[in-house]
Amino acid sequence: MKFLITLLTVFSAFCLYAQEASQTKLPKRIYTTKKLKKVPIIDGDVSDDAWNVVEWSSDFVEKSPDEGTPPAHQTMFKVMYDAKYLYIALRALDANPELIQQRLSRRDGFAGDRINVIIDSYHDKRTAFVFTTTAAGVKGEEIATGNGDDFDESWNPIWYTDAQVDDKGWTAEMKIPFSQLRFGNAKEQIWGFNVNRTIFRLQERSLWQRIPNDQAGFISEAGELHGLIDLVSQKQLEVQPFTVLQYDNYPAEPNNPYRDGSDFKLNAGLDAKIGITNDLTLDLTINPDFGQVEADPGAIALDGFQIFFREQRPFFVENKNIFDFRFANGRDNLFYSRRIGRNPHRGASLQAGEFADVPQNSTILGAAKFSGKTQNGWSIGVLESVTANEFAEIRQVDGSTREEIVEPLTNYFVTRVQKDFNERNSYIGGIATATNRNLDGNFNELHKSAYTAGVDFRHTWQDREFYVEGNSILSRVNGSKEAISNTQQSIARLFQRVDADYVNLDENRTSLTGTGGRVEAGKQGGGNWRYNAGFVWRSPELELNDVGFLRQTDEMIQFTEARYLWQVPTDIYRNMNLRLEQSTSYDFGGNLNRFRYELQGDISWINNWSTSGGFGSSSNIHRNAFLRGGPRWRAADDIFYYASINSDRSKKFSFRVSYLKVKSEEDVFNRNRYTFRINYQPFDSFSMSLDNSLSKTQDRTQYVTTADFGNLKRYILGIIKNDTWSSTLRLNYSLNPNFSVQFYGQPYISRGRYSNFNYVNNSVANSINDRVNFYTENQISKTTTNSGSSIYTIDENLDNDTYSFSNPDFSFVQLQTNLVVRWEYIPGSELFLVWARGSTGSQNINDSLTDSVSNQIFDVPANDTFLLKATYRFVR
């Protein structure tokens, strides 16, 4: 541990004093706008006389593939404004107009030739609003944060655009309400400004303000827009009520009054945006509906840990970047909005002959977000949400009903702040979350309250080439002895482990307090080298999962990374990079749990194809949670390698092929994963993609269960052959930029067949032959119960002193389809028609993967949902 801290200190000191020759910083280009005299018609035709009040600006410079050179075709733009709107005219010259890619797509499809207008109206040099128009007139919008490291396309402001193709190329016009932007109250506004053009068939990007590839940062290096005089704050006010009609059709269950084969629902609610100031917005939702949201992909976790699913609900997706606090590595975050409106913690307690109607999700009574960024560098986010008491209605044998609570009333609160300083080269921030449940003497298994707090910072210097950043968090959960005991024994902690003397299960505790964090320093720009090093920790008592996401605790990770970039194109390639990573992982008992390294390379070829590949190894692998509360487990050392090929995605047909191989010592673990993805756009209004993934795994030590054998614990493992296949089909048809039909379909199957059962002998032995004992044919027998399930019985000493476990074989099959017709009949107001069809079940373990999927699709009755949703956005 002391060595790691010393290494990090030395590295940070080196970064502070490192002097590396960097390219001379380019001067800022300035465009000075003027007030309009006539209002242009937004139809894509830039020849309107209204545009003659300002001059064209051009001289774009290529960003990729050949940075710093003139682009194949130049781009021009004009900017003017009035009291309420910013107007932008764009002229994309092209000597071959017939080759312009006018690909229709849904909003935010970002397909074909396009131009992005990047507006840093905060002028904080870290955040920008990005407005995109394609040659087909499709609009897209994003909020760029982290100086261009993150682009959030969930933002959907109201604005106007159109485009036309002519004999000189293509043109576009934009009309952007000032109410959709955020800016201060200076007499003359100075905004960061840039324009980016993509010629899709050439895979070429060019910028108005040149940004060299070795320059750290993107938003910070933009040019400037001057001339915005006496702008009046346009406070945003939008109200969007909605109505939903839903019809569900499903297989009827005999004698179950709650599953008679069909249901009809009528729902209504309201979303609103209120501009408190020109910098800060209040978002409100009452009884939100998420019926048009795509279903989660199929997944099975054989390791017992939680699976992360991305947020898809519009209210929580929009501006999610403000509330993000990824404190360590991976998916861990202090705020995971999927916790709000989750499925109830409990099911119904039923007697024989009873039936229950259990809600699928907790009802969100209301939610509010207050967020934005002020001109003086404060980023602010506050979210408040309340979910209702949820009750299961139970039909009793005599026909009467009773209610049983399955989820308590819960309040969720999140607040996030950041402050820029040091000429926007640095920031410091914080976050706090609170979850409070009204348990009312019930739900002893749940936390009564859970709180987290964290601070983060980032500092860059020498033209942002070098950086140091970090964060630290603190968590506390409170509840009954039962709730805290459950938390201590959950798979993320396992305080009951028999060989861990630095954690202890205390069944009398009523609270837990933990910490976590990350510190990192490195070089992110200038020259061809990039490197970083850092340290991550999660203490054993850390708990975030009431409103955050935390996969596991009791971990300290040291990591380093170095990359070398070839950024000047040649006759063979456009760019290349080579990356070397190394990491070591310890637990809080000081035990080494993994040493890992990986070497990876990527090449973008001159013909727009790309390839990547890499290899690596993990050694000294120990897993504290593998035996679910048993002793620490020694896994076999492994090696892995992978490769992928991507064809030119500017073509109508493109594909990606990849392969991964993992193989361990003594052939304990073996995995082959194949993926194949195709994209095809036969004509501009229609596109399709098919993504196939097949994984074949054999593991000789897959955990099965724990059994009691007298005073001993038997940790039972088995050889598993696990085959997993998924195929995701997406079809998109766009009649015009505002009307689209989208189809999503995914069959998913995961099949596991077990054999050669064994039990743990010496969990940390170097060889598998010493780690486990395999049962002999005389010791294990298999029987079938009256219900058709199988049970394995173990007579270890052949003395009729037995223990048993259920057959763990499985063949899980899931089918999900979703057809959505979307019509934005006026800007911001939409009509959705949705058909969703799905089924989940188990198939014969002996069938092939394709037969199992075919049976699930054609033989198993599915659930169908038909939904009509209408929204109307009132805007002031």
Side-chain angles (χ1 to χ4, degrees):
M1 182 67 182
K2 292 181 179 179
F3 170 76
L4 296 178
I5 295 174
T6 303
L7 179 64
L8 183 60
T9 304
V10 171
F11 181 84
S12 301
F14 170 75
C15 289
L16 286 168
Y17 295 103
Q19 295 295 321
E20 180 173 327
S22 61
Q23 187 167 329
T24 302
K25 196 172 181 67
L26 297 174
K28 296 281 189 180
R29 296 190 70 182
I30 295 174
Y31 185 90
T32 302
T33 182
K34 296 179 181 178
K35 279 192 175 181
L36 57 76
K37 296 179 180 178
K38 293 172 57 179
V39 178
I41 299 172
I42 305 302
D43 57 3
D45 182 3
V46 298
S47 63
D48 194 321
D49 289 342
W51 291 106
N52 292 336
V53 72
V54 287
E55 299 296 324
W56 290 105
S57 183
S58 187
D59 297 326
F60 279 55
V61 178
E62 197 169 315
K63 173 67 173 174
S64 65
D66 195 1
E67 197 282 315
T69 64
H73 306 287
Q74 269 296 339
T75 308
M76 307 163 65
F77 69 87
K78 293 181 175 182
V79 182
M80 57 186 187
Y81 71 101
D82 61 14
K84 292 188 176 182
Y85 299 97
L86 188 73
Y87 299 85
I88 303 170
L90 301 158
R91 157 65 73 181
L93 300 171
D94 199 314
N96 305 104
E98 69 280 2
L99 299 180
I100 293 171
Q101 297 291 299
Q102 297 176 263
R103 299 192 177 187
L104 281 167
S105 70
R106 59 174 176 80
R107 185 171 181 168
D108 295 332
F110 305 111
D113 285 50
R114 56 192 181 272
I115 295 178
N116 316 98
V117 175
I118 301 155
I119 301 174
D120 178 10
S121 55
Y122 294 117
H123 209 207
D124 65 358
K125 302 181 181 180
R126 292 179 53 228
T127 311
F129 301 98
V130 183
F131 297 87
T132 299
T133 300
T134 75
V138 178
K139 67 170 64 171
E141 318 85 9
E142 299 164 288
I143 293 181
T145 57
N147 203 354
D149 287 341
D150 297 299
F151 283 78
D152 180 5
E153 64 185 53
S154 64
W155 180 53
N156 285 314
I158 292 180
W159 63 293
Y160 311 89
T161 188
D162 206 349
Q164 295 184 13
V165 175
D166 58 24
D167 59 354
K168 296 179 182 178
W170 65 281
T171 58
E173 294 175 299
M174 295 180 175
K175 178 181 176 182
I176 302 171
F178 287 129
S179 63
Q180 306 298 308
L181 302 174
R182 301 290 176 267
F183 52 88
N185 56 5
K187 181 175 181 59
E188 178 182 1
Q189 300 287 327
I190 297 178
W191 293 354
F193 187 82
N194 214 343
V195 180
N196 174 86
R197 178 187 177 184
T198 299
I199 303 177
F200 194 71
R201 68 182 185 274
L202 303 177
Q203 289 295 283
E204 178 191 278
R205 290 177 58 208
S206 58
L207 293 171
W208 174 66
Q209 170 70 61
R210 178 188 172 194
I211 303 176
N213 287 340
D214 66 351
Q215 177 67 54
F218 184 75
I219 306 303
S220 60
E221 307 310 306
E224 293 181 350
L225 178 65
H226 290 202
L228 297 165
I229 308 296
D230 292 331
L231 290 188
V232 178
S233 175
Q234 302 291 319
K235 294 182 180 179
Q236 187 177 15
L237 177 59
E238 300 176 9
V239 179
Q240 186 176 45
F242 68 84
T243 302
V244 180
L245 302 176
Q246 181 175 330
Y247 174 76
D248 295 300
N249 184 69
Y250 49 85
E253 296 180 11
N255 303 318
N256 187 345
Y258 301 115
R259 300 288 293 176
D260 60 2
S262 64
D263 295 313
F264 179 78
K265 302 174 184 176
L266 173 64
N267 193 21
L270 181 141
D271 298 316
K273 290 180 179 291
I274 304 170
I276 305 302
T277 69
N278 202 49
D279 301 313
L280 303 170
T281 302
L282 178 65
D283 291 79
L284 303 170
T285 185
I286 299 173
N287 191 30
D289 174 80
F290 310 115
Q292 77 277 15
V293 170
E294 190 175 279
D296 293 323
I300 286 181
L302 293 177
D303 60 5
F305 289 102
Q306 289 193 48
I307 298 175
F308 179 92
F309 291 110
R310 67 185 179 92
E311 179 62 87
Q312 301 184 82
R313 300 172 296 177
F315 176 81
F316 295 107
V317 167
E318 187 170 359
N319 291 337
K320 68 180 185 298
N321 59 285
I322 291 179
F323 297 92
D324 267 355
F325 196 98
R326 287 172 283 184
F327 73 93
N329 58 355
R331 300 287 192 176
D332 290 353
N333 203 314
L334 266 68
F335 179 51
Y336 179 46
S337 56
R338 293 289 294 254
R339 305 293 184 201
I340 302 175
R342 55 156 294 154
N343 57 304
H345 282 87
R346 284 184 184 174
S349 301
L350 300 179
Q351 303 296 323
E354 293 184 336
F355 298 93
D357 182 18
V358 182
Q360 292 185 346
N361 299 96
S362 305
T363 302
I364 300 175
L365 298 176
K369 288 191 299 186
F370 179 68
S371 59
K373 186 162 188 175
T374 66
Q375 182 70 19
N376 59 1
W378 282 98
S379 295
I380 300 171
V382 180
L383 184 145
E384 168 74 15
S385 180
V386 177
T387 59
N389 281 318
E390 293 294 343
F391 295 87
E393 182 180 279
I394 299 174
R395 179 67 61 89
Q396 301 179 105
V397 177
D398 61 2
S400 61
T401 61
R402 71 175 192 272
E403 284 190 337
E404 183 177 291
I405 191 168
V406 293
E407 179 72 12
L409 179 75
T410 306
N411 177 263
Y412 301 93
F413 176 79
V414 183
T415 183
R416 178 82 162 103
V417 294
Q418 274 188 350
K419 177 65 170 73
D420 300 337
F421 61 96
N422 189 27
E423 298 181 346
R424 312 292 185 175
N425 288 314
S426 308
Y427 71 76
I428 187 168
I431 188 173
T433 75
T435 305
N436 289 281
R437 295 185 175 93
N438 181 15
L439 302 182
D440 196 24
N442 204 335
F443 293 95
N444 285 334
E445 72 273 23
L446 299 183
H447 297 145
K448 180 173 179 59
S449 61
Y451 306 104
T452 66
V455 295
D456 61 343
F457 72 93
R458 181 178 174 88
H459 172 61
T460 63
W461 67 95
Q462 196 169 314
D463 290 338
R464 296 184 171 85
E465 289 183 11
F466 295 93
Y467 72 95
V468 59
E469 64 181 15
N471 56 60
S472 182
I473 66 168
L474 177 71
S475 73
R476 182 176 177 85
V477 292
N478 303 292
S480 67
K481 294 179 181 179
E482 178 186 349
I484 299 304
S485 178
N486 290 342
T487 303
Q488 292 178 78
Q489 296 179 77
S490 66
I491 194 168
R493 270 157 289 277
L494 298 172
F495 283 10
Q496 70 272 30
R497 296 204 315 269
V498 296
D499 61 343
D501 57 3
Y502 60 98
V503 290
N504 294 288
L505 174 62
D506 184 348
E507 297 184 345
N508 292 314
R509 295 189 64 174
T510 57
S511 67
L512 291 175
T513 302
T515 65
R518 175 188 181 103
V519 61
E520 179 181 332
K523 179 177 182 290
Q524 63 180 357
N528 295 324
W529 282 102
R530 307 286 186 271
Y531 45 81
N532 63 71
F535 182 71
V536 169
W537 78 95
R538 304 174 183 87
S539 78
E541 291 193 10
L542 184 67
E543 171 62 334
L544 308 177
N545 286 325
D546 290 273
V547 73
F549 186 88
L550 177 67
R551 191 171 186 269
Q552 68 182 95
T553 65
D554 190 16
E555 193 171 38
M556 297 181 288
I557 302 173
Q558 164 273 325
F559 63 91
T560 58
E561 177 184 331
R563 286 191 298 154
Y564 189 83
L565 310 176
W566 290 264
Q567 303 181 85
V568 179
T570 68
D571 293 338
I572 299 175
Y573 63 82
R574 289 175 176 261
N575 57 72
M576 297 193 302
N577 78 81
L578 192 65
R579 176 172 58 89
L580 177 64
E581 292 181 348
Q582 171 274 327
S583 64
T584 54
S585 176
Y586 294 82
D587 62 29
F588 273 66
N591 302 302
L592 174 63
N593 281 346
R594 183 188 294 265
F595 176 84
R596 182 181 185 276
Y597 75 86
E598 180 181 350
L599 180 66
Q600 180 189 17
D602 301 278
I603 304 176
S604 295
W605 303 99
I606 201 67
N607 64 353
N608 291 332
W609 286 49
S610 63
T611 56
S612 64
F615 66 90
S617 176
S618 295
S619 59
N620 294 299
I621 306 170
H622 290 79
R623 296 172 180 163
N624 291 345
F626 180 77
L627 297 178
R628 314 298 201 268
R632 190 164 169 256
W633 172 257
R634 169 75 158 89
D637 295 350
D638 64 46
I639 60 171
F640 58 90
Y641 50 88
Y642 53 89
S644 67
I645 300 174
N646 296 270
S647 71
D648 182 358
R649 64 186 184 92
S650 69
K651 304 299 184 184
K652 290 185 178 293
F653 177 85
S654 62
F655 67 87
R656 171 185 171 85
V657 179
S658 64
Y659 172 69
L660 166 70
K661 173 72 172 182
V662 183
K663 184 177 178 60
S664 72
E665 289 182 341
E666 300 182 288
D667 205 27
V668 174
F669 183 89
N670 199 313
R671 171 172 292 163
N672 293 277
R673 187 173 67 209
Y674 313 85
T675 59
F676 177 59
R677 177 184 176 90
I678 62 171
N679 294 278
Y680 182 49
Q681 184 145 12
F683 45 92
D684 287 337
S685 60
F686 177 75
S687 65
M688 65 169 289
S689 68
L690 182 64
D691 196 347
N692 295 285
S693 175
L694 173 64
S695 177
K696 300 178 74 67
T697 301
Q698 178 171 300
D699 188 351
R700 298 173 65 190
T701 56
Q702 173 62 49
Y703 175 82
V704 177
T705 190
T706 300
D708 291 321
F709 180 47
N711 295 324
L712 302 175
K713 290 287 187 183
R714 284 293 186 239
Y715 302 99
I716 301 171
L717 317 178
I719 295 179
I720 184 176
K721 290 184 178 180
N722 181 207
D723 299 332
T724 299
W725 173 62
S726 68
S727 184
T728 304
L729 174 66
R730 296 181 185 272
L731 306 175
N732 295 280
Y733 175 76
S734 298
L735 185 65
N736 57 54
N738 299 314
F739 188 96
S740 64
V741 181
Q742 302 163 43
F743 173 81
Y744 164 89
Q746 185 198 63
Y748 170 89
I749 178 170
S750 184
R751 181 185 63 191
R753 292 179 285 194
Y754 288 78
S755 63
N756 294 75
F757 293 99
N758 53 84
Y759 64 91
V760 176
N761 178 34
N762 180 356
S763 64
V764 293
N766 289 328
S767 172
I768 183 177
N769 296 318
D770 297 323
R771 287 197 294 274
V772 302
N773 289 336
F774 286 86
Y775 295 117
T776 67
E777 291 183 1
N778 293 331
Q779 291 176 313
I780 186 168
S781 60
K782 181 180 179 181
T783 59
T784 302
T785 66
N786 293 333
S787 63
S789 60
S790 299
I791 292 178
Y792 286 96
T793 301
I794 309 297
D795 187 355
E796 196 172 305
N797 296 329
L798 305 179
D799 58 0
N800 295 322
D801 185 6
T802 64
Y803 54 93
S804 61
F805 59 91
S806 299
N807 183 1
D809 289 350
F810 63 88
S811 182
F812 172 82
V813 186
Q814 178 175 279
L815 171 68
Q816 295 177 339
T817 62
N818 189 278
L819 179 67
V820 179
V821 179
R822 174 187 171 275
W823 178 30
E824 189 174 0
Y825 55 94
I826 59 174
S829 300
E830 298 169 312
L831 187 68
F832 292 95
L833 179 61
V834 180
W835 171 43
R837 182 177 178 85
S839 65
T840 299
S842 297
Q843 292 291 330
N844 190 326
I845 194 69
N846 296 313
D847 287 347
S848 69
L849 296 184
T850 53
D851 286 343
S852 294
V853 170
S854 177
N855 293 338
Q856 188 72 29
I857 293 175
F858 297 108
D859 298 340
V860 177
N863 300 323
D864 291 287
T865 296
F866 299 90
L867 181 147
L868 178 65
K869 178 177 180 179
T871 70
Y872 186 85
R873 188 181 294 190
F874 296 91
V875 181
R876 191 194 69 175

